[in-house]
Amino acid sequence: MTAMNNPDFLRIERDGADGSKHYVVHTHDPKFTIELIPDPAAPGQIGRGVIKRILVPNSWAGDYTKYSKFIGAAQDFFSRSFEEPVPKSAARRFLT
């Protein structure tokens, strides 16, 4: 788990023969998946990621303004998901 808290997104990393693949999934409506690759030109060589593929429901085809704000949020989530984890002792103090 990482230092950010966003229940709307989930990052999945899959290792394969051709390297690792990174997916950010928006878990609430509107549901979609973005495949990203780390940006080698960014500081830390991750950045907000380079979009490789976007998978959206058929009902969204062509309506890019409908989900453009979510794509930016997904890229921000991707970047933050590589931050250092928060120690459990620090995370627990906010629960009370």
Side-chain angles (χ1 to χ4, degrees):
M1 197 64 173
T2 58
M4 49 57 222
N5 181 19
N6 191 331
D8 294 338
F9 292 103
L10 172 68
R11 182 173 66 90
I12 300 169
E13 183 175 351
R14 300 186 77 188
D15 291 327
D18 56 347
S20 63
K21 294 185 177 188
H22 301 270
Y23 301 91
V24 173
V25 179
H26 189 251
T27 58
H28 299 291
D29 285 332
K31 294 180 180 174
F32 65 90
T33 303
I34 297 179
E35 183 180 351
L36 299 141
I37 57 173
D39 184 357
Q45 297 185 334
I46 295 174
R48 294 180 71 213
V50 176
I51 297 173
K52 186 172 180 182
R53 181 169 52 159
I54 301 174
L55 302 157
V56 297
N58 286 339
S59 61
W60 279 31
D63 194 0
Y64 301 112
T65 58
K66 188 174 184 178
Y67 57 90
S68 63
K69 66 180 178 179
F70 292 107
I71 292 172
Q75 286 184 286
D76 291 339
F77 175 84
F78 177 77
S79 176
R80 290 190 321 267
S81 71
F82 287 94
E83 294 175 356
E84 289 295 319
V86 173
K88 286 185 180 183
S89 60
R92 288 186 187 143
R93 69 179 170 172
F94 295 113
L95 296 175
T96 57

PDB file of all heavy atoms in Angstrom, residues 13-47:
ATOM      1  N   GLU A  13      -0.126  -4.061 -11.406  1.00  0.00           N
ATOM      2  CA  GLU A  13       1.114  -4.270 -12.143  1.00  0.00           C
ATOM      3  C   GLU A  13       1.239  -5.752 -12.439  1.00  0.00           C
ATOM      4  O   GLU A  13       1.156  -6.580 -11.537  1.00  0.00           O
ATOM      5  CB  GLU A  13       2.314  -3.794 -11.325  1.00  0.00           C
ATOM      6  CG  GLU A  13       3.624  -3.909 -12.053  1.00  0.00           C
ATOM      7  CD  GLU A  13       4.793  -3.318 -11.268  1.00  0.00           C
ATOM      8  OE1 GLU A  13       4.556  -2.665 -10.239  1.00  0.00           O
ATOM      9  OE2 GLU A  13       5.929  -3.528 -11.693  1.00  0.00           O
ATOM     10  N   ARG A  14       1.415  -6.071 -13.717  1.00  0.00           N
ATOM     11  CA  ARG A  14       1.537  -7.465 -14.131  1.00  0.00           C
ATOM     12  C   ARG A  14       2.882  -7.677 -14.790  1.00  0.00           C
ATOM     13  O   ARG A  14       3.268  -6.934 -15.685  1.00  0.00           O
ATOM     14  CB  ARG A  14       0.421  -7.831 -15.108  1.00  0.00           C
ATOM     15  CG  ARG A  14      -0.963  -7.650 -14.479  1.00  0.00           C
ATOM     16  CD  ARG A  14      -2.025  -8.130 -15.366  1.00  0.00           C
ATOM     17  NE  ARG A  14      -2.009  -9.596 -15.275  1.00  0.00           N
ATOM     18  CZ  ARG A  14      -2.727 -10.366 -16.062  1.00  0.00           C
ATOM     19  NH1 ARG A  14      -3.478  -9.861 -16.988  1.00  0.00           N
ATOM     20  NH2 ARG A  14      -2.674 -11.667 -15.933  1.00  0.00           N
ATOM     21  N   ASP A  15       3.600  -8.685 -14.337  1.00  0.00           N
ATOM     22  CA  ASP A  15       4.876  -9.044 -14.934  1.00  0.00           C
ATOM     23  C   ASP A  15       4.652 -10.078 -16.019  1.00  0.00           C
ATOM     24  O   ASP A  15       3.899 -11.033 -15.830  1.00  0.00           O
ATOM     25  CB  ASP A  15       5.832  -9.610 -13.879  1.00  0.00           C
ATOM     26  CG  ASP A  15       6.285  -8.549 -12.891  1.00  0.00           C
ATOM     27  OD1 ASP A  15       6.412  -7.383 -13.311  1.00  0.00           O
ATOM     28  OD2 ASP A  15       6.502  -8.883 -11.717  1.00  0.00           O
ATOM     29  N   GLY A  16       5.306  -9.854 -17.146  1.00  0.00           N
ATOM     30  CA  GLY A  16       5.191 -10.788 -18.260  1.00  0.00           C
ATOM     31  C   GLY A  16       6.524 -10.972 -18.940  1.00  0.00           C
ATOM     32  O   GLY A  16       7.548 -10.428 -18.518  1.00  0.00           O
ATOM     33  N   ALA A  17       6.523 -11.719 -20.015  1.00  0.00           N
ATOM     34  CA  ALA A  17       7.745 -11.997 -20.758  1.00  0.00           C
ATOM     35  C   ALA A  17       8.344 -10.728 -21.352  1.00  0.00           C
ATOM     36  O   ALA A  17       9.553 -10.608 -21.494  1.00  0.00           O
ATOM     37  CB  ALA A  17       7.459 -13.010 -21.866  1.00  0.00           C
ATOM     38  N   ASP A  18       7.502  -9.770 -21.702  1.00  0.00           N
ATOM     39  CA  ASP A  18       7.984  -8.524 -22.302  1.00  0.00           C
ATOM     40  C   ASP A  18       8.092  -7.388 -21.288  1.00  0.00           C
ATOM     41  O   ASP A  18       8.080  -6.216 -21.657  1.00  0.00           O
ATOM     42  CB  ASP A  18       7.090  -8.118 -23.476  1.00  0.00           C
ATOM     43  CG  ASP A  18       5.629  -7.997 -23.092  1.00  0.00           C
ATOM     44  OD1 ASP A  18       5.256  -8.459 -21.994  1.00  0.00           O
ATOM     45  OD2 ASP A  18       4.848  -7.433 -23.879  1.00  0.00           O
ATOM     46  N   GLY A  19       8.186  -7.713 -20.008  1.00  0.00           N
ATOM     47  CA  GLY A  19       8.329  -6.701 -18.958  1.00  0.00           C
ATOM     48  C   GLY A  19       7.036  -6.519 -18.185  1.00  0.00           C
ATOM     49  O   GLY A  19       6.074  -7.251 -18.370  1.00  0.00           O
ATOM     50  N   SER A  20       7.012  -5.506 -17.322  1.00  0.00           N
ATOM     51  CA  SER A  20       5.818  -5.282 -16.511  1.00  0.00           C
ATOM     52  C   SER A  20       4.859  -4.329 -17.218  1.00  0.00           C
ATOM     53  O   SER A  20       5.272  -3.455 -17.969  1.00  0.00           O
ATOM     54  CB  SER A  20       6.190  -4.741 -15.138  1.00  0.00           C
ATOM     55  OG  SER A  20       6.811  -3.489 -15.262  1.00  0.00           O
ATOM     56  N   LYS A  21       3.574  -4.540 -16.969  1.00  0.00           N
ATOM     57  CA  LYS A  21       2.523  -3.683 -17.501  1.00  0.00           C
ATOM     58  C   LYS A  21       1.798  -3.068 -16.316  1.00  0.00           C
ATOM     59  O   LYS A  21       1.565  -3.730 -15.306  1.00  0.00           O
ATOM     60  CB  LYS A  21       1.545  -4.478 -18.360  1.00  0.00           C
ATOM     61  CG  LYS A  21       2.166  -5.014 -19.624  1.00  0.00           C
ATOM     62  CD  LYS A  21       1.126  -5.689 -20.486  1.00  0.00           C
ATOM     63  CE  LYS A  21       1.762  -6.161 -21.778  1.00  0.00           C
ATOM     64  NZ  LYS A  21       0.764  -6.660 -22.717  1.00  0.00           N
ATOM     65  N   HIS A  22       1.451  -1.797 -16.454  1.00  0.00           N
ATOM     66  CA  HIS A  22       0.785  -1.072 -15.381  1.00  0.00           C
ATOM     67  C   HIS A  22      -0.605  -0.650 -15.852  1.00  0.00           C
ATOM     68  O   HIS A  22      -0.755  -0.073 -16.941  1.00  0.00           O
ATOM     69  CB  HIS A  22       1.579   0.180 -15.001  1.00  0.00           C
ATOM     70  CG  HIS A  22       2.967  -0.117 -14.560  1.00  0.00           C
ATOM     71  ND1 HIS A  22       3.289  -0.368 -13.252  1.00  0.00           N
ATOM     72  CD2 HIS A  22       4.123  -0.223 -15.247  1.00  0.00           C
ATOM     73  CE1 HIS A  22       4.579  -0.601 -13.155  1.00  0.00           C
ATOM     74  NE2 HIS A  22       5.109  -0.520 -14.358  1.00  0.00           N
ATOM     75  N   TYR A  23      -1.600  -0.922 -15.004  1.00  0.00           N
ATOM     76  CA  TYR A  23      -2.976  -0.549 -15.309  1.00  0.00           C
ATOM     77  C   TYR A  23      -3.519   0.261 -14.136  1.00  0.00           C
ATOM     78  O   TYR A  23      -3.281  -0.072 -12.980  1.00  0.00           O
ATOM     79  CB  TYR A  23      -3.857  -1.792 -15.489  1.00  0.00           C
ATOM     80  CG  TYR A  23      -3.385  -2.715 -16.581  1.00  0.00           C
ATOM     81  CD1 TYR A  23      -2.500  -3.757 -16.306  1.00  0.00           C
ATOM     82  CD2 TYR A  23      -3.813  -2.539 -17.886  1.00  0.00           C
ATOM     83  CE1 TYR A  23      -2.053  -4.606 -17.303  1.00  0.00           C
ATOM     84  CE2 TYR A  23      -3.379  -3.389 -18.895  1.00  0.00           C
ATOM     85  CZ  TYR A  23      -2.503  -4.419 -18.598  1.00  0.00           C
ATOM     86  OH  TYR A  23      -2.065  -5.248 -19.589  1.00  0.00           O
ATOM     87  N   VAL A  24      -4.264   1.317 -14.443  1.00  0.00           N
ATOM     88  CA  VAL A  24      -5.004   2.046 -13.427  1.00  0.00           C
ATOM     89  C   VAL A  24      -6.476   1.843 -13.761  1.00  0.00           C
ATOM     90  O   VAL A  24      -6.920   2.112 -14.879  1.00  0.00           O
ATOM     91  CB  VAL A  24      -4.652   3.549 -13.395  1.00  0.00           C
ATOM     92  CG1 VAL A  24      -5.566   4.297 -12.439  1.00  0.00           C
ATOM     93  CG2 VAL A  24      -3.195   3.735 -12.996  1.00  0.00           C
ATOM     94  N   VAL A  25      -7.222   1.347 -12.779  1.00  0.00           N
ATOM     95  CA  VAL A  25      -8.634   1.040 -12.956  1.00  0.00           C
ATOM     96  C   VAL A  25      -9.455   2.017 -12.127  1.00  0.00           C
ATOM     97  O   VAL A  25      -9.174   2.198 -10.936  1.00  0.00           O
ATOM     98  CB  VAL A  25      -8.938  -0.416 -12.514  1.00  0.00           C
ATOM     99  CG1 VAL A  25     -10.408  -0.741 -12.658  1.00  0.00           C
ATOM    100  CG2 VAL A  25      -8.076  -1.398 -13.292  1.00  0.00           C
ATOM    101  N   HIS A  26     -10.448   2.651 -12.739  1.00  0.00           N
ATOM    102  CA  HIS A  26     -11.401   3.473 -11.998  1.00  0.00           C
ATOM    103  C   HIS A  26     -12.515   2.531 -11.577  1.00  0.00           C
ATOM    104  O   HIS A  26     -13.198   1.937 -12.415  1.00  0.00           O
ATOM    105  CB  HIS A  26     -11.942   4.605 -12.874  1.00  0.00           C
ATOM    106  CG  HIS A  26     -12.749   5.584 -12.114  1.00  0.00           C
ATOM    107  ND1 HIS A  26     -14.117   5.685 -12.253  1.00  0.00           N
ATOM    108  CD2 HIS A  26     -12.392   6.520 -11.190  1.00  0.00           C
ATOM    109  CE1 HIS A  26     -14.566   6.648 -11.456  1.00  0.00           C
ATOM    110  NE2 HIS A  26     -13.538   7.157 -10.796  1.00  0.00           N
ATOM    111  N   THR A  27     -12.694   2.363 -10.270  1.00  0.00           N
ATOM    112  CA  THR A  27     -13.563   1.310  -9.749  1.00  0.00           C
ATOM    113  C   THR A  27     -15.024   1.707  -9.605  1.00  0.00           C
ATOM    114  O   THR A  27     -15.860   0.863  -9.334  1.00  0.00           O
ATOM    115  CB  THR A  27     -13.044   0.827  -8.387  1.00  0.00           C
ATOM    116  OG1 THR A  27     -12.978   1.946  -7.490  1.00  0.00           O
ATOM    117  CG2 THR A  27     -11.655   0.217  -8.530  1.00  0.00           C
ATOM    118  N   HIS A  28     -15.324   3.000  -9.738  1.00  0.00           N
ATOM    119  CA  HIS A  28     -16.710   3.459  -9.640  1.00  0.00           C
ATOM    120  C   HIS A  28     -17.158   3.979 -10.996  1.00  0.00           C
ATOM    121  O   HIS A  28     -16.361   4.113 -11.916  1.00  0.00           O
ATOM    122  CB  HIS A  28     -16.834   4.574  -8.596  1.00  0.00           C
ATOM    123  CG  HIS A  28     -16.437   4.134  -7.217  1.00  0.00           C
ATOM    124  ND1 HIS A  28     -17.162   3.241  -6.468  1.00  0.00           N
ATOM    125  CD2 HIS A  28     -15.361   4.449  -6.462  1.00  0.00           C
ATOM    126  CE1 HIS A  28     -16.559   3.042  -5.313  1.00  0.00           C
ATOM    127  NE2 HIS A  28     -15.462   3.756  -5.284  1.00  0.00           N
ATOM    128  N   ASP A  29     -18.432   4.293 -11.114  1.00  0.00           N
ATOM    129  CA  ASP A  29     -18.913   4.850 -12.376  1.00  0.00           C
ATOM    130  C   ASP A  29     -18.279   6.202 -12.612  1.00  0.00           C
ATOM    131  O   ASP A  29     -18.222   7.014 -11.698  1.00  0.00           O
ATOM    132  CB  ASP A  29     -20.433   4.972 -12.364  1.00  0.00           C
ATOM    133  CG  ASP A  29     -21.122   3.625 -12.527  1.00  0.00           C
ATOM    134  OD1 ASP A  29     -20.513   2.735 -13.157  1.00  0.00           O
ATOM    135  OD2 ASP A  29     -22.245   3.473 -12.038  1.00  0.00           O
ATOM    136  N   PRO A  30     -17.773   6.462 -13.739  1.00  0.00           N
ATOM    137  CA  PRO A  30     -17.678   5.601 -14.919  1.00  0.00           C
ATOM    138  C   PRO A  30     -16.472   4.673 -14.815  1.00  0.00           C
ATOM    139  O   PRO A  30     -15.376   5.101 -14.519  1.00  0.00           O
ATOM    140  CB  PRO A  30     -17.483   6.596 -16.063  1.00  0.00           C
ATOM    141  CG  PRO A  30     -16.763   7.734 -15.416  1.00  0.00           C
ATOM    142  CD  PRO A  30     -17.249   7.802 -14.002  1.00  0.00           C
ATOM    143  N   LYS A  31     -16.700   3.407 -15.024  1.00  0.00           N
ATOM    144  CA  LYS A  31     -15.613   2.427 -14.919  1.00  0.00           C
ATOM    145  C   LYS A  31     -14.792   2.429 -16.204  1.00  0.00           C
ATOM    146  O   LYS A  31     -15.352   2.438 -17.297  1.00  0.00           O
ATOM    147  CB  LYS A  31     -16.180   1.043 -14.650  1.00  0.00           C
ATOM    148  CG  LYS A  31     -16.851   0.962 -13.299  1.00  0.00           C
ATOM    149  CD  LYS A  31     -17.413  -0.389 -13.028  1.00  0.00           C
ATOM    150  CE  LYS A  31     -18.051  -0.366 -11.646  1.00  0.00           C
ATOM    151  NZ  LYS A  31     -18.751  -1.569 -11.317  1.00  0.00           N
ATOM    152  N   PHE A  32     -13.471   2.437 -16.048  1.00  0.00           N
ATOM    153  CA  PHE A  32     -12.574   2.369 -17.193  1.00  0.00           C
ATOM    154  C   PHE A  32     -11.211   1.903 -16.718  1.00  0.00           C
ATOM    155  O   PHE A  32     -10.931   1.871 -15.526  1.00  0.00           O
ATOM    156  CB  PHE A  32     -12.466   3.723 -17.914  1.00  0.00           C
ATOM    157  CG  PHE A  32     -11.830   4.810 -17.095  1.00  0.00           C
ATOM    158  CD1 PHE A  32     -10.459   5.018 -17.132  1.00  0.00           C
ATOM    159  CD2 PHE A  32     -12.592   5.624 -16.289  1.00  0.00           C
ATOM    160  CE1 PHE A  32      -9.874   6.029 -16.377  1.00  0.00           C
ATOM    161  CE2 PHE A  32     -12.031   6.633 -15.533  1.00  0.00           C
ATOM    162  CZ  PHE A  32     -10.659   6.833 -15.582  1.00  0.00           C
ATOM    163  N   THR A  33     -10.360   1.553 -17.674  1.00  0.00           N
ATOM    164  CA  THR A  33      -9.000   1.109 -17.392  1.00  0.00           C
ATOM    165  C   THR A  33      -8.043   1.841 -18.314  1.00  0.00           C
ATOM    166  O   THR A  33      -8.324   2.017 -19.493  1.00  0.00           O
ATOM    167  CB  THR A  33      -8.860  -0.410 -17.631  1.00  0.00           C
ATOM    168  OG1 THR A  33      -9.810  -1.092 -16.810  1.00  0.00           O
ATOM    169  CG2 THR A  33      -7.467  -0.898 -17.315  1.00  0.00           C
ATOM    170  N   ILE A  34      -6.905   2.263 -17.756  1.00  0.00           N
ATOM    171  CA  ILE A  34      -5.855   2.899 -18.544  1.00  0.00           C
ATOM    172  C   ILE A  34      -4.587   2.065 -18.377  1.00  0.00           C
ATOM    173  O   ILE A  34      -4.205   1.725 -17.264  1.00  0.00           O
ATOM    174  CB  ILE A  34      -5.584   4.340 -18.066  1.00  0.00           C
ATOM    175  CG1 ILE A  34      -6.811   5.203 -18.266  1.00  0.00           C
ATOM    176  CG2 ILE A  34      -4.397   4.929 -18.802  1.00  0.00           C
ATOM    177  CD1 ILE A  34      -6.626   6.624 -17.790  1.00  0.00           C
ATOM    178  N   GLU A  35      -3.964   1.734 -19.485  1.00  0.00           N
ATOM    179  CA  GLU A  35      -2.656   1.083 -19.440  1.00  0.00           C
ATOM    180  C   GLU A  35      -1.608   2.171 -19.625  1.00  0.00           C
ATOM    181  O   GLU A  35      -1.666   2.954 -20.572  1.00  0.00           O
ATOM    182  CB  GLU A  35      -2.520   0.033 -20.535  1.00  0.00           C
ATOM    183  CG  GLU A  35      -1.205  -0.704 -20.472  1.00  0.00           C
ATOM    184  CD  GLU A  35      -1.048  -1.766 -21.548  1.00  0.00           C
ATOM    185  OE1 GLU A  35      -2.020  -2.066 -22.258  1.00  0.00           O
ATOM    186  OE2 GLU A  35       0.074  -2.294 -21.669  1.00  0.00           O
ATOM    187  N   LEU A  36      -0.673   2.235 -18.687  1.00  0.00           N
ATOM    188  CA  LEU A  36       0.371   3.255 -18.708  1.00  0.00           C
ATOM    189  C   LEU A  36       1.742   2.603 -18.662  1.00  0.00           C
ATOM    190  O   LEU A  36       1.888   1.491 -18.145  1.00  0.00           O
ATOM    191  CB  LEU A  36       0.237   4.179 -17.491  1.00  0.00           C
ATOM    192  CG  LEU A  36      -1.056   4.958 -17.386  1.00  0.00           C
ATOM    193  CD1 LEU A  36      -1.512   5.031 -15.952  1.00  0.00           C
ATOM    194  CD2 LEU A  36      -0.848   6.346 -17.924  1.00  0.00           C
ATOM    195  N   ILE A  37       2.720   3.328 -19.178  1.00  0.00           N
ATOM    196  CA  ILE A  37       4.103   2.922 -18.990  1.00  0.00           C
ATOM    197  C   ILE A  37       4.804   4.068 -18.277  1.00  0.00           C
ATOM    198  O   ILE A  37       4.458   5.234 -18.484  1.00  0.00           O
ATOM    199  CB  ILE A  37       4.804   2.567 -20.324  1.00  0.00           C
ATOM    200  CG1 ILE A  37       4.761   3.740 -21.304  1.00  0.00           C
ATOM    201  CG2 ILE A  37       4.200   1.333 -20.947  1.00  0.00           C
ATOM    202  CD1 ILE A  37       5.564   3.519 -22.562  1.00  0.00           C
ATOM    203  N   PRO A  38       5.755   3.768 -17.393  1.00  0.00           N
ATOM    204  CA  PRO A  38       6.490   4.845 -16.730  1.00  0.00           C
ATOM    205  C   PRO A  38       7.173   5.733 -17.773  1.00  0.00           C
ATOM    206  O   PRO A  38       7.622   5.259 -18.821  1.00  0.00           O
ATOM    207  CB  PRO A  38       7.514   4.108 -15.872  1.00  0.00           C
ATOM    208  CG  PRO A  38       6.884   2.775 -15.610  1.00  0.00           C
ATOM    209  CD  PRO A  38       6.140   2.455 -16.889  1.00  0.00           C
ATOM    210  N   ASP A  39       7.220   7.025 -17.500  1.00  0.00           N
ATOM    211  CA  ASP A  39       7.816   8.002 -18.411  1.00  0.00           C
ATOM    212  C   ASP A  39       9.317   8.077 -18.160  1.00  0.00           C
ATOM    213  O   ASP A  39       9.749   8.616 -17.138  1.00  0.00           O
ATOM    214  CB  ASP A  39       7.166   9.363 -18.193  1.00  0.00           C
ATOM    215  CG  ASP A  39       7.645  10.423 -19.153  1.00  0.00           C
ATOM    216  OD1 ASP A  39       8.536  10.127 -19.974  1.00  0.00           O
ATOM    217  OD2 ASP A  39       7.127  11.553 -19.095  1.00  0.00           O
ATOM    218  N   PRO A  40      10.152   7.547 -19.070  1.00  0.00           N
ATOM    219  CA  PRO A  40      11.597   7.543 -18.828  1.00  0.00           C
ATOM    220  C   PRO A  40      12.213   8.941 -18.838  1.00  0.00           C
ATOM    221  O   PRO A  40      13.301   9.133 -18.322  1.00  0.00           O
ATOM    222  CB  PRO A  40      12.150   6.686 -19.971  1.00  0.00           C
ATOM    223  CG  PRO A  40      11.109   6.727 -21.032  1.00  0.00           C
ATOM    224  CD  PRO A  40       9.802   6.926 -20.332  1.00  0.00           C
ATOM    225  N   ALA A  41      11.522   9.939 -19.389  1.00  0.00           N
ATOM    226  CA  ALA A  41      12.041  11.307 -19.440  1.00  0.00           C
ATOM    227  C   ALA A  41      11.695  12.108 -18.185  1.00  0.00           C
ATOM    228  O   ALA A  41      12.233  13.189 -17.974  1.00  0.00           O
ATOM    229  CB  ALA A  41      11.497  12.029 -20.663  1.00  0.00           C
ATOM    230  N   ALA A  42      10.826  11.587 -17.341  1.00  0.00           N
ATOM    231  CA  ALA A  42      10.392  12.300 -16.129  1.00  0.00           C
ATOM    232  C   ALA A  42      11.405  12.101 -15.004  1.00  0.00           C
ATOM    233  O   ALA A  42      12.131  11.113 -14.983  1.00  0.00           O
ATOM    234  CB  ALA A  42       9.029  11.785 -15.684  1.00  0.00           C
ATOM    235  N   PRO A  43      11.423  13.045 -14.044  1.00  0.00           N
ATOM    236  CA  PRO A  43      12.264  12.839 -12.857  1.00  0.00           C
ATOM    237  C   PRO A  43      11.843  11.548 -12.154  1.00  0.00           C
ATOM    238  O   PRO A  43      10.658  11.292 -11.976  1.00  0.00           O
ATOM    239  CB  PRO A  43      11.974  14.056 -11.988  1.00  0.00           C
ATOM    240  CG  PRO A  43      11.429  15.077 -12.927  1.00  0.00           C
ATOM    241  CD  PRO A  43      10.731  14.316 -14.020  1.00  0.00           C
ATOM    242  N   GLY A  44      12.792  10.745 -11.805  1.00  0.00           N
ATOM    243  CA  GLY A  44      12.485   9.455 -11.185  1.00  0.00           C
ATOM    244  C   GLY A  44      12.073   8.400 -12.198  1.00  0.00           C
ATOM    245  O   GLY A  44      11.761   7.284 -11.841  1.00  0.00           O
ATOM    246  N   GLN A  45      12.014   8.746 -13.448  1.00  0.00           N
ATOM    247  CA  GLN A  45      11.663   7.876 -14.566  1.00  0.00           C
ATOM    248  C   GLN A  45      10.291   7.222 -14.435  1.00  0.00           C
ATOM    249  O   GLN A  45      10.075   6.129 -14.940  1.00  0.00           O
ATOM    250  CB  GLN A  45      12.749   6.826 -14.787  1.00  0.00           C
ATOM    251  CG  GLN A  45      14.073   7.446 -15.163  1.00  0.00           C
ATOM    252  CD  GLN A  45      15.119   6.410 -15.490  1.00  0.00           C
ATOM    253  OE1 GLN A  45      15.048   5.286 -15.009  1.00  0.00           O
ATOM    254  NE2 GLN A  45      16.078   6.790 -16.298  1.00  0.00           N
ATOM    255  N   ILE A  46       9.368   7.900 -13.740  1.00  0.00           N
ATOM    256  CA  ILE A  46       8.002   7.398 -13.626  1.00  0.00           C
ATOM    257  C   ILE A  46       7.022   8.469 -14.089  1.00  0.00           C
ATOM    258  O   ILE A  46       6.255   8.255 -15.010  1.00  0.00           O
ATOM    259  CB  ILE A  46       7.671   6.939 -12.195  1.00  0.00           C
ATOM    260  CG1 ILE A  46       8.536   5.731 -11.843  1.00  0.00           C
ATOM    261  CG2 ILE A  46       6.192   6.603 -12.063  1.00  0.00           C
ATOM    262  CD1 ILE A  46       8.415   5.269 -10.430  1.00  0.00           C
ATOM    263  N   GLY A  47       7.055   9.628 -13.446  1.00  0.00           N
ATOM    264  CA  GLY A  47       6.158  10.716 -13.812  1.00  0.00           C
ATOM    265  C   GLY A  47       4.704  10.334 -13.712  1.00  0.00           C
ATOM    266  O   GLY A  47       4.325   9.467 -12.916  1.00  0.00           O
TER     267      GLY A  47
END
